[in-house]
Amino acid sequence: MYASFPNRQDLTIRDEIRLSAIARNLGNFVDLDDDDRISIKPILSNSQRVPSNQILFHERSCCDHIALIEEGLACRYKTLPDGRRQILGYLIPGDLCDISFLISGVTDYGVAVLGDSRISSTPIHQFAEILQSRPNVARGVSLAGLRDTVILREWLLNIGRRNALQRLCHFFCEVSLRMHAVGQSRADGSIDLPVNQGALADTVGLTQVHLNRTLQRLRGLNLIDFHGRRLQIVDFSQLAQLAQFDDYYLGLRTRR
Amino acid sequence: MYASFPNRQDLTIRDEIRLSAIARNLGNFVDLDDDDRISIKPILSNSQRVPSNQILFHERSCCDHIALIEEGLACRYKTLPDGRRQILGYLIPGDLCDISFLISGVTDYGVAVLGDSRISSTPIHQFAEILQSRPNVARGVSLAGLRDTVILREWLLNIGRRNALQRLCHFFCEVSLRMHAVGQSRADGSIDLPVNQGALADTVGLTQVHLNRTLQRLRGLNLIDFHGRRLQIVDFSQLAQLAQFDDYYLGLRTRR
DNA sequence: CGCTGTCTTGAGTCGGATCAAGATTAGTGG
DNA sequence: CCACTAATCTTGATCCGACTCAAGACAGCG
C-alpha cells in the first residue's frame, strides 16, 4: 500500500501484526513483545469497511463494543442544538475509540468516519480479557487513552488562546506527527487527510469561510500544500514556530 | 460552617466522612457503604491549608502524590510561551487531581490554588491500595475521572462554538451545579467563587476587558449577581436557556 | 493613609462572522 | 464519455464581536 512496505503476501502473521497501526501506536508507549502482539490479534480479526461520512455512534448513545481504526480516519464531535458542531479530536489508524466504555458504557460525544475506512469492533468483555491477561498491553492502552485527554487539553488551549492562523498550523503539526508515528505518511512525507474545509473549520473553531482564507494565507506563506485531501507540510519547523507548537504533549517516542 | 450543617463536634467519624466532599462526590457515581467510606479515611487524614494563588504543581512536572481538594478551589491550566493562559477546568471540594498519575506520573498541565484551601495529599501507592481493596471506591474514582474528561469536551465545544455571553452563562451553570452536588452551596443557593475577572477570562477564552463587559451584560439582564467572590444565580433556567446548557454531561444524580 | 491589585470605562482597531453569489470539482447515471 | 447534479471551494462586501491600549475608579490591606 505504501511504498516502503513489503508486499503483504510475503509477511507472516506475526510480522503483519507488528506492522499494524495499533502495534505501532501502542509501541509508542510501551515495548510490546511477541506474546503481547499475538494477544491483540482478535482485535484485528473482524474488521470491515466503513464508507465516508458514516456515523459510528451518535452523541449520548450506549456502547458495548470497542472500535479500532485500522485504516482511514474518524473524528469525535459534539453539536449544539442549533446545529453548530465542534470536532473534539481525530481518530487515526491504530486508535481505539474509546476505552472509557470499559468503565462507563455511555458517550457524551459522537464519532463520525471521515474517509473510507476499515474499522474493527471488539465486544467489551473480550477486550477486557486481553487487557487482563497482558498487563503490558493494558498499560499501553491506558497510556494511549491518557494521551487522548492530553491532546484534548492542548486543543482547549489552542482554540481558547491562539488566533486562526496559529490554530490551523498547530493542528497540521499535530496530525502530521501522529500520522508519522503510526506509519501513515507517504514517502514524500505527505499524509492523507480526507476532510473538507467545513470539517477543518469545526476542528479549530472557525467558520468555513474564514478557514478558507486562513488556509490560503498558509499556502501563500508556502508552509503547506493541501490539495485533493492530501496534506503536504513544506516547512515543518517554520510551521511549528508560527503555531508555538511543541510536541511534548504527544508523548511520542521519536523514531525517524 | 454552613447553616444547614450540624455542629462538627457532634459527629462521629463515620458521619464526618459521610458528609465529606469526596464522599458526596463519589456518591454521585456509586453507592458507597460504610466500609467504603471508612476506607477513604486515610485520604482525608493529612490535609493542610494552602494559601490562595499557590501553585500545587507546575506544567510538565512529575507527581507521586494524589491531591484531594477538601475545601476551597483550584484550577488546571496551561500557558503559551508568550504568557497567554487557558484554564482547563476547576477542582472543587471532593475532586481528585489527578488520578491519571496512577498510570503516567507526569503532567502536561499545572494546578493552581485559587482561594485559601485545604488540600490533602496521598502517596500514589497508598492510594492505589485503597482502590485495590475497595472496587466500589475504585469505580467511583474512575467515573469521577472520566467526568473530568467529559467536562473538558464540553468546554471545547463551549469555547469553540459559543459566543462570549453564552460561554460565561454555561460556565456559571456548570460550576453552580457541581458545587451544589457536593454540598458547597449556601442556604441562599449562592456559591463561593474566589476568582478574579482575569481568571474568568482565562476560563472562557476571552480578554479580561471583554469579560468585564460581558459580566455587566449578564448583571444587566438580572440573571446573576457576582460580587465579593460570591456567585448568586438569580434565574437558573433562563441562564441555562441562554447558554443552551444541558446538565446531561455532568452525570450527576439529581438530588435536590 | 498610601499602596497594590482589581475592576471599570472609553476610543479605536481588527479579526473573524455573516450573507450571498459564483467557480470549481467530484460524483452519478445515461 | 458526456451531461447533470450536488458538494465543495472561492471571492466580495459588509458588519459586529472581541481585542488593544490607556487611563481612571474602586477596594482591600498593611
Side-chain angles (χ1 to χ4, degrees):
Chain A
M1 184 176 185
Y2 294 123
S4 57
F5 276 27
N7 189 322
R8 283 273 162 139
Q9 253 70 337
D10 303 337
L11 300 173
T12 67
I13 290 177
R14 223 162 61 183
D15 285 333
E16 193 165 335
I17 297 176
R18 190 197 308 277
L19 289 175
S20 70
I22 181 159
R24 283 163 170 263
N25 188 13
L26 297 182
N28 275 305
F29 302 107
V30 292
D31 291 313
L32 299 178
D33 61 28
D34 276 348
D35 288 343
D36 289 327
R37 276 188 279 263
I38 295 289
S39 77
I40 62 174
K41 189 165 181 298
I43 299 177
L44 300 167
S45 52
N46 64 343
S47 63
Q48 64 187 104
R49 306 221 141 266
V50 179
S52 188
N53 290 320
Q54 189 163 315
I55 305 265
L56 270 192
F57 48 83
H58 289 90
E59 301 173 76
R60 301 192 184 195
S61 58
C62 297
C63 301
D64 53 1
H65 284 252
I66 294 201
L68 164 71
I69 314 294
E70 294 199 44
E71 291 172 11
L73 193 67
C75 73
R76 300 194 181 97
Y77 67 91
K78 280 185 96 152
T79 53
L80 253 20
D82 60 23
R84 282 176 290 180
R85 179 177 73 154
Q86 177 64 48
I87 288 179
L88 306 165
Y90 284 86
L91 297 163
I92 71 171
D95 279 345
L96 295 163
C97 92
D98 181 335
I99 56 158
S100 68
F101 299 157
L102 287 166
I103 306 169
S104 150
V106 293
T107 69
D108 51 311
Y109 59 88
V111 170
V113 172
L114 290 174
D116 293 339
S117 301
R118 201 158 55 83
I119 291 172
S120 76
S121 191
T122 311
I124 284 187
H125 71 272
Q126 191 182 0
F127 196 90
E129 278 165 22
I130 295 171
L131 298 188
Q132 209 138 32
S133 65
R134 307 301 309 175
N136 213 19
V137 174
R139 185 172 158 73
V141 167
S142 293
L143 285 170
L146 215 56
R147 196 192 53 172
D148 273 357
T149 306
V150 171
I151 290 178
L152 201 55
R153 281 193 281 262
E154 185 70 25
W155 278 37
L156 192 62
L157 173 67
N158 195 34
I159 293 185
R161 286 301 179 214
R162 278 189 264 246
N163 63 28
L165 195 68
Q166 290 181 308
R167 284 184 215 178
L168 194 56
C169 292
H170 191 278
F171 170 69
F172 283 149
C173 287
E174 177 188 294
V175 75
S176 162
L177 286 191
R178 285 181 62 200
M179 293 288 268
H180 275 278
V182 290
Q184 291 290 315
S185 55
R186 296 176 176 274
D188 63 357
S190 69
I191 60 171
D192 282 329
L193 205 60
V195 295
N196 59 27
Q197 294 186 5
L200 230 35
D202 290 342
T203 300
V204 293
L206 299 171
T207 57
Q208 194 257 35
V209 171
H210 194 62
L211 184 113
N212 176 280
R213 289 178 171 134
T214 307
L215 208 48
Q216 287 179 53
R217 274 179 68 195
L218 263 185
R219 280 198 272 250
L221 291 168
N222 199 30
L223 295 179
I224 61 147
D225 183 26
F226 183 51
H227 276 299
R229 307 284 142 101
R230 190 176 302 182
L231 173 70
Q232 168 83 274
I233 295 185
V234 178
D235 187 335
F236 186 91
S237 70
Q238 238 186 296
L239 199 67
Q241 192 184 354
L242 186 55
Q244 299 186 298
F245 177 87
D246 182 337
D247 65 4
Y248 168 87
Y249 72 103
L250 289 176
L252 299 170
R253 304 189 184 183
T254 44
R255 46 161 70 175
R256 301 291 183 86
Chain B
M1 185 175 182
Y2 294 122
S4 56
F5 275 28
N7 188 320
R8 282 276 162 137
Q9 254 70 337
D10 302 338
L11 301 174
T12 66
I13 289 177
R14 223 161 61 183
D15 285 333
E16 193 165 334
I17 297 175
R18 189 196 311 276
L19 290 174
S20 70
I22 181 161
R24 284 163 170 264
N25 188 14
L26 297 182
N28 275 304
F29 302 107
V30 291
D31 291 314
L32 299 178
D33 62 28
D34 276 347
D35 286 343
D36 289 328
R37 276 189 280 264
I38 295 290
S39 78
I40 62 174
K41 189 166 181 296
I43 299 178
L44 301 165
S45 53
N46 64 343
S47 64
Q48 64 188 101
R49 307 222 139 265
V50 179
S52 189
N53 291 320
Q54 189 164 316
I55 305 265
L56 271 192
F57 48 83
H58 288 90
E59 300 172 77
R60 303 192 183 195
S61 58
C62 297
C63 299
D64 52 2
H65 284 251
I66 293 201
L68 164 71
I69 314 293
E70 294 199 44
E71 292 170 12
L73 193 69
C75 72
R76 301 192 181 97
Y77 68 90
K78 280 185 97 151
T79 53
L80 252 22
D82 60 23
R84 283 177 289 179
R85 179 177 72 155
Q86 177 64 47
I87 288 178
L88 306 165
Y90 284 87
L91 297 162
I92 71 171
D95 279 345
L96 295 164
C97 90
D98 184 332
I99 56 157
S100 67
F101 300 157
L102 287 166
I103 305 169
S104 149
V106 293
T107 68
D108 52 311
Y109 59 88
V111 170
V113 171
L114 289 173
D116 293 340
S117 301
R118 199 157 56 83
I119 291 170
S120 77
S121 191
T122 312
I124 283 187
H125 70 271
Q126 192 182 359
F127 196 91
E129 279 166 21
I130 295 172
L131 298 188
Q132 209 138 32
S133 65
R134 307 300 310 175
N136 213 19
V137 174
R139 184 171 158 75
V141 167
S142 292
L143 285 170
L146 216 54
R147 196 190 53 173
D148 273 357
T149 307
V150 171
I151 290 179
L152 201 54
R153 281 192 281 260
E154 185 69 26
W155 278 37
L156 192 61
L157 174 66
N158 196 35
I159 293 185
R161 285 303 179 210
R162 278 189 263 246
N163 64 28
L165 195 67
Q166 292 182 306
R167 283 185 216 177
L168 195 56
C169 292
H170 191 278
F171 170 69
F172 284 148
C173 287
E174 176 188 295
V175 74
S176 163
L177 285 191
R178 285 181 62 198
M179 293 288 269
H180 274 279
V182 291
Q184 292 290 315
S185 55
R186 297 176 176 272
D188 64 357
S190 70
I191 60 171
D192 283 328
L193 205 61
V195 294
N196 59 28
Q197 295 186 4
L200 273 185
D202 290 342
T203 300
V204 292
L206 299 172
T207 57
Q208 195 256 33
V209 170
H210 194 60
L211 185 114
N212 176 280
R213 290 177 170 134
T214 307
L215 208 48
Q216 287 178 54
R217 274 179 68 194
L218 263 185
R219 279 198 274 250
L221 292 168
N222 200 32
L223 295 180
I224 62 147
D225 184 26
F226 182 52
H227 275 300
R229 306 284 141 102
R230 189 175 303 181
L231 173 70
Q232 168 83 274
I233 294 185
V234 178
D235 187 336
F236 186 91
S237 70
Q238 237 185 296
L239 199 66
Q241 193 182 355
L242 186 55
Q244 299 185 297
F245 177 86
D246 182 337
D247 64 3
Y248 169 87
Y249 73 102
L250 289 175
L252 298 169
R253 304 188 184 187
T254 45
R255 46 160 72 173
R256 301 291 184 84

